[in-house]
Amino acid sequence: MAWGRTLFSPARRVMLVGLLVDLGVACMALGVQFLAIELQAPPLVLGLLGMVSATAYTIGCVFSGSVSDRYGRKVPAMLACLVAGTVWLAMAFARSPYHLLLLMPFSGGALCFLWPSMQAWLAEFSGHSPRALNRNLSLFNIAWTAGIMTGPLVAGYTWQYSHHLAFILPALMGYLGAWVVYMTPTVEGPAREVAVNGDRHSPELTQLFLLLAWFGNFGSWYARAVVSSLYPKLGTELHFSHELVGFLIFIVGFAQLVMFGLT
């Protein structure tokens, strides 16, 4: 059926991977904070837990795109999901905040091979249509934001039952993401480039909006990182339950999802 082919199209599978992996990332990130707090980590270490992962991811993204271009989209994306899932599973057995600090760069370093591959793959699945690319990127943003939004809620509500669940569930999301990547067909023939009408906007205007996008992305993620890294400690000191902390961080993701939907 036509609706079935659309629902399970390769582009939709890429979006599903984005949702699954970011759900795992957000759940793991809050679980790491909860565990580190229980292990008596100082605030500096709580901040470093997010920073070392993001640093490894940022450095890795400098060259991970070329790896994806050379070896294809599927293999780097599958390995990224499998490695990240295994690292998240290992975090459940940490007995010191410094064990977590050692593991976090491997999480960010693995994921740097996922997102460039997924976005380039999505562009290839959009063919030569800028309109299709715009629609697919919009839905992709909504998908991964839905994962980021839901992850803290899952971590907050599972923490009371088992601390391990905040890491086991993300690991399962990573492994499931790897399976979806494996089941996604590759683009036949050479990679297709999206046609862009160069006469619509001047290069200066395009560069200006690109810089604005970079600054906006940096600012929004900076604010979110501060909330995700330090708010769990504040919530604990204010005697908030883990469920409430997860729900309040969920609200931040919900606002982001609404804005993506509107734009």
Side-chain angles (χ1 to χ4, degrees):
M1 297 177 67
W3 66 269
R5 289 193 298 270
T6 301
L7 184 62
F8 298 104
S9 67
R12 296 294 191 274
R13 298 182 195 185
V14 171
M15 297 169 197
L16 177 59
V17 173
L19 188 153
L20 292 171
V21 173
D22 261 352
L23 193 158
V25 168
C27 182
M28 173 276 301
L30 186 54
V32 162
Q33 294 295 322
F34 285 156
L35 182 57
I37 290 169
E38 292 201 357
L39 295 173
Q40 305 300 314
L44 177 60
V45 172
L46 297 178
L48 286 173
L49 285 170
M51 194 198 83
V52 295
S53 177
T55 300
Y57 175 84
T58 302
I59 295 173
C61 282
V62 173
F63 60 85
S64 61
S66 59
V67 172
S68 172
D69 291 337
R70 181 171 182 179
Y71 296 102
R73 316 302 181 197
K74 179 174 289 192
V75 173
M78 281 184 59
L79 290 176
C81 291
L82 292 173
V83 172
T86 303
V87 171
W88 298 340
L89 194 60
M91 291 176 179
F93 304 98
R95 293 296 175 262
S96 162
Y98 298 100
H99 294 162
L100 297 171
L101 201 58
L102 181 65
L103 288 169
M104 287 298 283
F106 292 98
S107 172
L111 292 176
C112 78
F113 291 96
L114 175 67
W115 299 114
S117 297
M118 290 290 95
Q119 293 177 77
W121 214 358
L122 199 61
E124 292 172 2
F125 289 138
S126 300
H128 295 277
S129 170
R131 183 176 182 181
L133 177 61
N134 184 59
R135 182 181 65 251
N136 285 336
L137 286 176
S138 298
L139 293 174
F140 181 69
N141 283 330
I142 290 173
W144 67 255
T145 305
I148 286 284
M149 174 185 73
T150 310
L153 203 62
V154 174
Y157 278 90
T158 57
W159 192 260
Q160 60 181 324
Y161 299 108
S162 171
H163 297 180
H164 289 173
L165 281 177
F167 302 99
I168 293 174
L169 292 177
L172 292 177
M173 295 298 102
Y175 297 148
L176 183 56
W179 179 77
V180 175
V181 170
Y182 175 76
M183 297 301 294
T184 302
T186 56
V187 177
E188 295 297 331
R192 297 173 292 179
E193 296 185 359
V194 178
V196 178
N197 185 351
D199 297 328
R200 292 186 59 189
H201 305 294
S202 67
E204 293 80 9
L205 186 59
T206 300
Q207 185 66 25
L208 173 62
F209 275 95
L210 181 61
L211 290 172
L212 288 173
W214 288 346
F215 279 116
N217 195 51
F218 177 87
S220 63
W221 279 100
Y222 177 90
R224 182 179 186 86
V226 171
V227 172
S228 300
S229 297
L230 298 181
Y231 184 75
K233 175 68 171 177
L234 175 62
T236 301
E237 292 182 349
L238 293 174
H239 303 291
F240 290 173
S241 66
H242 294 100
E243 299 96 310
L244 181 57
V245 171
F247 178 75
L248 291 173
I249 298 178
F250 159 84
I251 293 175
V252 177
F254 178 75
Q256 188 175 16
L257 179 68
V258 170
M259 290 308 299
F260 269 131
L262 292 174
T263 54

